[in-house]
Amino acid sequence: MKIRSVFFFLVIVTFFSCQKKTKLSNKRDFSIKNIEEIDSIKIQNKTPKTVFLLKNNKQWELKNGFPVRKEAINLLLETIRDMQIKRPVALKERENIIKRMSVQRTQVEIFSKNKTIKTIYVGGDTQDQLGTYMILKDSSEPYVLSIPGFNGYLSSRFSCEENTWKEKIIFNFQKEDIENVELNYRDSKNSFQINKKDSLSNQYFSNFEKISCEKFLKNNRDFNIEEIKRRDPIFDIKITLKNKKEITLKAFEKKSSLKGRTKNKTHDTEKFYALFQDELILIQYQQFQNILKKKTDFK
């Protein structure tokens, strides 16, 4: 009986010891090695601003369908895979770090097959900017995390600004994928439409590969997007693809800046604004030089 009692005691001690180690390990397990299993990421701060990154047929996009920059999502996934605890937070700074993170932090929720596999709270960076404070959900133990071999902080990789994630390429179509292009100018006499059956289609449709915007725009004290959207468009373009999907873009003149090469002109002749997928963007005319043709150019 005595031997049996000792045996059961050892089993119980071992069980609780393993449980304790597992719980401790869970509180320190920030990285995810199998990043291929990740299919969506929600990043939210206290502002509140929220970004949803979704993998759709191996391509990452935002919730509104905008493609995500490959280098940006790859950097985020590599960070989730490679980041490690650099050191625990010292007792003397622990209370201050937790207090700061309760006010200002970024919540990163990582999903696989509609299930949350990890939630991380990302705080500020260390004073030497060589690490970032983080806490796992259901834990009260903050740690400093970094990536071995990388001298820098990680917080900027968990951005809640949608514009930092958006792919700047707006048109990237093979000529074989295009069914029809309709270009309408403010001066309607120069408007035209080209169908894939037209003899000019191969030449013209080849101009719609890797067309990029310069940047995505947002409201501020000196810039009103709604005012620009009310302006009379200088042209609009509609691209119909073989799969019947339609892509539209509406362009507006940009006022000349007080400085630069176009300062003495009535409007900026190098750049224009455009409404694309409900976003206002800035585009260089040079990107559209082979797209903005007139009827006389085809003669």
Side-chain angles (χ1 to χ4, degrees):
M1 290 294 291
K2 189 175 182 181
I3 294 174
R4 184 177 294 180
S5 298
V6 170
F7 174 76
F8 279 116
F9 174 75
L10 290 173
V11 169
I12 292 169
V13 169
T14 302
F15 173 78
F16 282 106
S17 176
C18 289
Q19 288 289 93
K20 188 175 181 181
K21 286 180 180 178
T22 300
K23 287 180 180 179
L24 180 61
S25 175
N26 288 343
K27 290 181 180 180
R28 297 169 58 91
D29 188 14
F30 285 84
S31 64
I32 298 173
K33 298 307 176 187
N34 297 324
I35 55 175
E36 298 81 11
E37 297 178 3
I38 299 172
D39 53 31
S40 60
I41 302 170
K42 179 183 178 182
I43 308 174
Q44 185 175 19
N45 63 18
K46 289 276 193 175
T47 308
K49 287 183 179 179
T50 304
V51 168
F52 289 93
L53 305 171
L54 311 167
K55 186 160 67 171
N56 185 9
N57 294 326
K58 298 183 179 181
Q59 301 296 319
W60 284 87
E61 58 187 36
L62 292 161
K63 198 173 184 180
N64 60 5
F66 255 103
V68 170
R69 291 188 298 117
K70 287 182 180 179
E71 60 270 27
I73 188 63
N74 287 343
L75 182 63
L76 176 62
L77 292 171
E78 288 165 7
T79 301
I80 292 170
R81 181 193 64 198
D82 298 337
M83 61 186 185
Q84 297 179 12
I85 292 176
K86 186 176 184 179
R87 63 173 175 85
V89 174
L91 284 175
K92 61 181 180 181
E93 63 172 336
R94 184 175 175 276
E95 184 179 349
N96 185 42
I97 294 301
I98 291 175
K99 187 182 293 184
R100 280 163 50 190
M101 289 185 70
S102 68
V103 176
Q104 187 175 11
R105 72 183 184 211
T106 298
Q107 177 178 301
V108 182
E109 197 169 357
I110 304 164
F111 301 87
S112 178
K113 298 177 181 177
N114 296 319
K115 292 184 179 180
T116 303
I117 55 176
K118 200 174 293 290
T119 301
I120 305 168
Y121 298 108
V122 180
D125 305 308
T126 56
Q127 195 169 2
D128 61 6
Q129 296 194 326
L130 296 178
T132 299
Y133 296 105
M134 298 189 194
I135 300 177
L136 285 168
K137 186 180 180 181
D138 298 326
S139 171
S140 58
E141 297 294 328
Y143 293 90
V144 174
L145 274 85
S146 64
I147 294 176
F150 170 72
N151 291 323
Y153 54 87
L154 307 178
S155 60
S156 60
R157 303 183 183 194
F158 301 92
S159 174
C160 290
E161 294 289 341
E162 274 202 350
N163 286 353
T164 65
W165 295 100
K166 290 173 184 171
E167 175 59 74
K168 290 184 178 180
I169 295 178
I170 55 173
F171 298 155
N172 193 20
F173 308 119
Q174 299 291 321
K175 60 185 179 182
E176 296 82 8
D177 296 329
I178 300 174
E179 184 84 16
N180 189 77
V181 174
E182 184 178 342
L183 182 56
N184 297 303
Y185 286 100
R186 184 162 55 191
D187 179 4
S188 59
K189 69 179 182 181
N190 290 312
S191 301
F192 63 85
Q193 183 174 176
I194 294 180
N195 187 273
K196 69 173 183 178
K197 296 179 181 179
D198 297 330
S199 59
L200 296 166
S201 62
N202 275 344
Q203 178 188 347
Y204 186 64
F205 290 175
S206 63
N207 296 320
F208 290 87
E209 288 186 53
K210 295 182 180 179
I211 304 298
S212 303
C213 68
E214 184 173 305
K215 64 179 177 179
F216 295 88
L217 304 169
K218 57 183 180 179
N219 278 317
N220 59 45
R221 187 175 58 185
D222 304 313
F223 187 79
N224 189 317
I225 287 177
E226 294 305 314
E227 183 275 322
I228 293 171
K229 288 162 67 173
R230 289 193 294 269
R231 295 179 186 175
D232 188 20
I234 50 177
F235 70 85
D236 65 72
I237 188 166
K238 181 169 75 173
I239 305 166
T240 304
L241 302 178
K242 277 189 175 181
N243 60 10
K244 306 307 177 185
K245 182 179 180 180
E246 293 184 350
I247 293 90
T248 60
L249 180 143
K250 187 181 292 186
F252 308 92
E253 281 181 346
K254 178 180 179 295
K255 293 178 181 177
S256 295
S257 56
L258 298 176
K259 298 178 182 179
R261 289 179 291 186
T262 65
K263 63 181 181 180
N264 296 321
K265 298 188 177 182
T266 56
H267 62 274
D268 195 326
T269 55
E270 295 182 348
K271 301 175 184 180
F272 63 92
Y273 298 127
L275 186 63
F276 178 72
Q277 293 188 18
D278 294 324
E279 296 273 354
L280 194 71
I281 57 179
L282 183 66
I283 302 176
Q284 295 182 10
Y285 274 107
Q286 186 179 10
Q287 287 285 312
F288 270 60
Q289 64 180 350
N290 293 323
I291 293 175
L292 297 178
K293 292 181 177 290
K294 297 180 180 179
K295 284 182 177 180
T296 53
D297 296 331
F298 295 109
K299 293 180 179 179

